[in-house]
Amino acid sequence: MIVHMKDRREAHARAVASAMASAGFEVSRLDLPFGLFLVGLGREDDGGEGIESLPGVDWVRRDAKGPVLAARERHPEGSQVPLGGIPVGGEDLALIAGPCSVEGRDQIRTAARFVASYGATALRGGAFKPRTSPYSFQGLGKEGLALLRDAGRATGLPVVTEIMEPSDAEAMATYVDCFQVGARSMQNFPLLRTVGQAGKPVVLKRGPSASLSEFLLAAEYVLLQGNPDVILCERGIKTFETATRNTLDLNAVPVLKAATHLPVLVDPSHGTGRQDAVIPMARAAVAAGADGLLVEVHPDPDHALSDGDQSLTLAQFRRLVEEIRPVAEAVGRRLRVPGASRFGAGTGPRTRRGSGWGALI
């Protein structure tokens, strides 16, 4: 059972919570930006007759089989999730960029400095990597978290990284600004509850075989913990097609925007798995109404320890920014001005010529 209160009067909320508890429900209170909700769990039957008539009650939902808190009707104007200085879901187009994996200090700092200089709003990078093969690079772990945090601080970018285990949340919270729940973990319900309680924004990626309804219900798990700062990310689904790593389902963008108030990102890197397809699909995602992009960028993709085939070079990231700008303007979105960082307008950061990365810019 979910009860929405007309206002936040404490006396009314306590009376309703008491009635729900007396009916056998375990009651949680959710003070969300778009309303005060009382959630009752622990009963399969309806129960709680008469709650609708109590003072302060707006409506009662008893058959919550689909998303309730994530539904567009709960917050028609749309939610904005704070991530650094850019509210994701607002007029500004969010651009979260960086390497698939943190591989070392020079690599993550070079990528961070470049994407910051060309308008990125947040830095992504994996410290713990879920890989299909147990023999593949699994990430640097805590060392990678420290390197990612330091690169973010040096460039003024908030950092986004994937969490795999609920037990890691407390330690990771000191390093990151936003948790990413990967596609493989979309229905890891203990993990969703944990990040919902962690007090950080959450980027939730769609599972490769998940319907949009299942995707929204996964987001509901986070919202039910009292965390309103959920960002959805379409990253491609499994189909019969083998020419690309996944099929990037851009239908999902307008469908989700109509169904939910939560911001929607698109990841054209995982959605295609092909470096040459990332920029075209990024343009298409912005045109479809995405609130931002999650893009993999590496100083030297040919020698990346993970997902080099789908990672943009530094020069290609600059071209992506140049090509999505007019599309963003055409659909009423703004893109952060390149060079709006400590590196100087439009110049990009200097890189080490001796590293072999300078020639890529």
Side-chain angles (χ1 to χ4, degrees), residues 70-342:
R72 168 65 70 172
E73 61 185 302
R74 300 284 81 81
H75 193 38
E77 61 271 31
S79 291
Q80 297 185 21
V81 176
L83 185 58
I86 300 294
V88 182
E91 186 178 354
D92 291 286
L93 191 73
L95 190 53
I96 303 173
C100 174
S101 300
V102 179
E103 299 168 6
R105 184 179 302 276
D106 288 347
Q107 173 250 17
I108 188 61
R109 285 198 172 187
T110 298
R113 286 167 61 87
F114 196 86
V115 300
S117 184
Y118 282 95
T121 53
L123 174 66
R124 62 142 294 141
F128 300 94
K129 295 301 301 177
R131 306 299 299 280
T132 301
S133 170
Y135 305 108
S136 299
F137 176 62
Q138 304 290 311
L140 296 178
K142 190 172 181 179
E143 178 188 356
L145 288 175
L147 294 175
L148 183 65
R149 177 197 60 192
D150 292 347
R153 288 179 176 174
T155 54
L157 293 179
V159 298
V160 181
T161 196
E162 182 169 353
I163 180 171
M164 295 172 56
E165 299 285 347
S167 58
D168 291 336
E170 184 175 357
M172 290 180 67
T174 62
Y175 293 93
V176 304
D177 300 289
C178 177
F179 286 114
Q180 175 184 305
V181 176
R184 292 176 175 88
S185 299
M186 189 203 84
Q187 290 184 313
N188 182 339
F189 303 123
L191 181 61
L192 296 177
R193 293 188 183 96
T194 297
V195 297
Q197 298 165 4
K200 302 274 185 180
V202 178
V203 171
L204 176 64
K205 302 190 95 174
R206 181 185 181 184
S209 300
S211 69
L212 294 181
S213 176
E214 291 167 337
F215 190 21
L216 289 176
L217 284 171
E220 197 88 353
Y221 270 86
V222 182
L223 293 168
L224 275 168
Q225 305 308 308
N227 185 351
D229 295 329
V230 181
I231 305 168
L232 304 176
C233 183
E234 166 58 43
R235 47 78 68 201
I237 55 175
K238 291 293 185 184
T239 68
F240 57 82
E241 184 54 69
T242 58
T244 54
R245 178 176 180 177
N246 295 289
T247 296
L248 185 56
D249 182 14
L250 291 184
N251 295 321
V253 177
V255 172
L256 286 171
K257 296 291 287 183
T260 181
H261 57 86
L262 301 174
V264 180
L265 304 180
V266 170
D267 177 353
S269 300
H270 284 88
T272 65
R274 294 176 51 142
Q275 189 184 72
D276 61 347
V278 171
I279 295 177
M281 296 311 291
R283 294 196 307 260
V286 175
D291 294 302
L293 300 170
L294 187 68
V295 183
E296 292 190 349
V297 183
H298 194 288
D300 187 2
D302 289 341
H303 296 94
L305 297 182
S306 61
D307 286 350
D309 290 344
Q310 66 190 36
S311 298
L312 298 180
T313 65
L314 305 184
Q316 287 170 330
F317 178 74
R318 178 170 58 191
R319 183 159 67 88
L320 178 144
V321 173
E322 293 168 352
E323 293 193 16
I324 66 172
R325 183 175 301 283
V327 181
E329 292 172 353
V331 296
R333 308 304 283 265
R334 297 182 306 193
L335 194 62
R336 196 176 187 181
V337 177
S341 72
R342 59 191 291 245

